[in-house]
Amino acid sequence: MPTYTVNRDAVRHAKRLIDARQYALRSRWQDVQPRAREQNAFLKTHSWEEYAAWHLGVTEGAAEETKARHAFVYGDFRRLHRMGLIACHYRAAEWRHKEIELAAHELLQYLDRKSAR
């Protein structure tokens, strides 16, 4: 099983998106989660650093500038999705990736506080 570390740049990016109200509170994550086609299209016009900012996890040992390096996507490359954070939290908890689970949980709480105003 891969080991992941928290992508602190992605956490900061997610908070900036929340602060800028660039989020969807209700969505069907299974319908909006970026698939390979959307990921490839994004990478044609954006840097690996920008791609990484949408993923809460970094896969330890995976080569730089590969999709395998990035895990736990939380948005659709335009907006953060609350259901994306919930999916990250759930998947991380399921596989006992505690740091990722806690980062997703903290972002979810941050989003809920900000969006309640």
Side-chain angles (χ1 to χ4, degrees):
M1 170 153 338
T3 303
Y4 303 99
T5 58
V6 174
N7 180 351
R8 298 287 171 209
D9 291 336
V11 171
R12 283 189 291 276
H13 183 250
K15 285 184 175 180
R16 283 192 301 271
L17 290 168
I18 293 166
D19 291 341
R21 299 181 130 181
Q22 296 292 307
Y23 51 75
L25 295 176
R26 297 187 67 149
S27 60
R28 289 177 45 94
W29 184 238
Q30 63 195 21
D31 296 338
V32 298
Q33 179 180 5
R35 304 289 193 263
R37 181 184 43 192
E38 291 89 11
Q39 293 172 19
N40 293 338
F42 186 84
L43 282 166
K44 283 184 180 181
T45 58
H46 296 82
S47 69
W48 280 101
E49 185 177 319
E50 291 169 300
Y51 179 81
W54 290 95
H55 297 81
L56 292 181
V58 175
T59 310
E60 291 184 11
E64 295 285 334
E65 298 190 357
T66 63
K67 287 196 244 178
R69 177 92 170 142
H70 311 288
F72 298 96
V73 64
Y74 62 83
D76 63 7
F77 301 128
R78 291 179 313 128
R79 301 177 296 182
L80 174 144
H81 285 259
R82 186 173 187 276
M83 289 307 297
L85 288 177
I86 291 170
C88 289
H89 182 268
Y90 176 83
R91 202 170 98 227
E94 178 182 22
W95 295 103
R96 298 182 183 218
H97 302 299
K98 194 52 124 178
E99 288 184 12
I100 305 297
E101 175 190 348
L102 293 173
H105 176 78
E106 289 170 17
L107 284 169
L108 185 58
Q109 299 307 305
Y110 186 75
L111 173 62
D112 287 350
R113 280 192 308 273
K114 290 287 193 159
S115 64
R117 295 181 183 162

